Amino acid sequence: MHVLLADDHSIVRTALKYVLSELTDTLKVVEAKTYGEARDHIDDSEPFDLVMLDLRMPELEGLDDIRDLVNRAGGCPVAVFTVSESPEEMRAVLKCGVRAYIPKSTDDSLIATILKLVLEGGSYVPPVLGGAAQQVLLEESVDLTGGAASAGAQLEGLTRRQRDVLQLMAQGLSNQEIGSRLDLNLSTVKSHVTGVLRALGAENRTQAVLIFQQQATAAPH
């Protein structure tokens, strides 16, 4: 996986490399400290699979630069990873074609799942833009709420066994591994996974795990 990390803080780039290494064994990272460097890398390097961009970096002057970078990246998804949590700024940036807006305050357990979703063709916006009613937006604009019900209410509607399966899905276990852990045959596990996806209104396992992780993070401790 070929990734461009554009952030002027080395500690942030290092942390992102660690997160990305959990998604692939063939990670190749190109780093940029300024907007100009990021633009040049996109123009001159082999195609990237993902571009991650900080909004508060040298030489990045506004929305026109973001649009330009998205256009230069072509079909490669651009994800913003930044300190700003302003809903107005989020909306403006997403309108530029950015596929994910990830505040740096996002729990680290969610970031890898969000990036996996983006790499699979989905999009992500923070819950603040849609409130509790809409936390994840895929290209097909899937409504995760099942109408008026919140994602939290959907999780409460899962059976005990479905919850067990979802928790193991969130740990990255395959159906075969889940079956071994819960002493279930493969067809039963597949049935439970299908039930989880249906109950959450999720299109795939990654989306279901993201819903679960966001609710777990939001739950009071």
Side-chain angles (χ1 to χ4, degrees):
M1 181 167 64
H2 193 208
V3 179
L4 172 61
L5 299 180
D7 193 298
D8 55 324
H9 293 98
S10 62
I11 190 170
V12 173
R13 299 194 304 272
T14 299
L16 288 174
K17 281 188 284 187
Y18 176 78
V19 171
L20 288 163
S21 69
E22 298 181 349
L23 302 180
T24 179
D25 295 326
T26 58
L27 180 63
K28 179 181 178 182
V29 171
V30 176
E31 301 182 37
K33 300 177 183 178
T34 69
Y35 170 77
E37 288 181 7
R39 181 189 58 217
D40 292 343
H41 283 310
I42 289 176
D43 289 344
D44 300 334
S45 300
E46 62 185 76
F48 290 100
D49 298 302
L50 176 68
V51 173
M52 297 198 68
L53 177 71
D54 182 18
L55 296 182
R56 304 290 187 266
M57 64 185 306
E59 301 177 14
L60 199 164
E61 297 182 355
L63 296 176
D64 287 342
D65 285 343
I66 297 173
R67 291 190 194 93
D68 179 63
L69 198 73
V70 170
N71 290 334
R72 289 173 185 269
C76 169
V78 177
V80 162
F81 187 63
T82 190
V83 296
S84 175
E85 298 189 30
S86 162
E88 292 76 18
E89 187 165 26
M90 291 178 186
R91 293 188 185 95
V93 169
L94 288 165
K95 287 180 180 179
C96 293
V98 167
R99 291 275 291 278
Y101 192 109
I102 310 170
K104 288 183 178 178
S105 61
T106 302
D107 190 274
D108 56 3
S109 66
L110 298 181
I111 295 174
T113 305
I114 292 169
L115 294 180
K116 184 177 180 183
L117 180 68
V118 171
L119 287 164
E120 291 177 348
S123 301
Y124 174 83
V125 297
V128 66
L129 285 189
Q134 193 171 9
Q135 298 181 13
V136 180
L137 299 179
L138 294 181
E139 289 181 330
E140 296 80 8
S141 299
V142 175
D143 181 3
L144 300 187
T145 67
S150 69
Q154 289 174 297
L155 288 176
E156 293 176 1
L158 297 177
T159 66
R160 181 182 62 80
R161 185 57 83 189
Q162 286 174 336
R163 283 178 168 273
D164 292 341
V165 168
L166 179 55
Q167 288 176 339
L168 295 177
M169 286 167 58
Q171 296 175 28
L173 272 64
S174 67
N175 286 350
Q176 188 69 51
E177 291 168 330
I178 292 173
S180 297
R181 185 75 64 88
L182 299 179
D183 194 24
L184 300 172
N185 62 48
L186 188 58
S187 63
T188 300
V189 173
K190 289 180 178 179
S191 177
H192 284 312
V193 170
T194 298
V196 168
L197 298 184
R198 184 182 300 114
L200 298 182
E203 290 292 311
N204 52 48
R205 294 167 71 101
T206 302
Q207 188 181 354
V209 168
L210 182 54
I211 296 170
F212 170 75
Q213 289 180 325
Q214 285 183 308
Q215 289 301 312
T217 301
H221 298 286

